[in-house]
Amino acid sequence: MARADRLERLDKRRSEMEADYLEALIAALEVTAAGKWGLFDHNADKIMRAAAAPVIAALSGMADEIAEAREQLFMEPFTLHDEFMASRGKPPANAVGEPKQARAWLERLRSDRS
């Protein structure tokens, strides 16, 4: 019974961590959608990269904790963070700017929540 209780608490904590991650990602995307570049690292600019570093580090730390909890619960991996990180970096020449990319991410996340 103690193991079941522990797993139930861990699953509740995992759910809370995922909600926190989503909230933090949405907040970062909203800032970018409003015009602040750097979150997606399109320009590989040192100043923009440094400004976005605390946000990226926080998201990565949360994702690591979620991944650990999911592993202990024998759940599928937490892919949202991997997808976000894969969307960062130098884009192709015909790609949209960071604000537009952030708005697309926000639309996707909001439709996923519905």
Side-chain angles (χ1 to χ4, degrees):
M1 192 62 146
R3 178 176 163 82
D5 290 341
R6 184 180 62 79
L7 290 175
E8 185 177 333
R9 285 192 308 274
L10 179 59
D11 190 41
K12 183 178 182 212
R13 177 70 186 127
R14 176 210 48 87
S15 181
E16 291 168 354
M17 288 188 296
E18 289 179 8
D20 290 345
Y21 179 91
L22 185 58
E23 185 179 312
L25 179 59
I26 287 172
L29 290 168
E30 287 174 341
V31 168
T32 302
K36 184 175 181 186
W37 285 61
L39 185 65
F40 289 102
D41 198 26
H42 280 194
N43 297 329
D45 179 89
K46 289 180 184 180
I47 294 171
M48 285 185 206
R49 187 176 285 155
V55 174
I56 300 302
L59 289 171
S60 295
M62 286 189 264
D64 290 345
E65 289 180 27
I66 292 166
E68 186 177 311
R70 282 179 160 263
E71 187 175 307
Q72 290 176 15
L73 293 165
F74 301 102
M75 295 177 76
E76 293 292 317
F78 183 66
T79 59
L80 180 59
H81 182 68
D82 295 334
E83 292 168 14
F84 169 69
M85 294 302 287
S87 72
R88 299 184 74 240
K90 185 145 180 77
N94 63 343
V96 298
E98 287 194 26
K100 194 167 188 176
Q101 185 177 2
R103 285 190 290 275
W105 265 86
L106 287 167
E107 284 179 28
R108 174 189 156 203
L109 293 174
R110 289 179 178 139
S111 71
D112 288 352
R113 292 169 80 181
S114 304

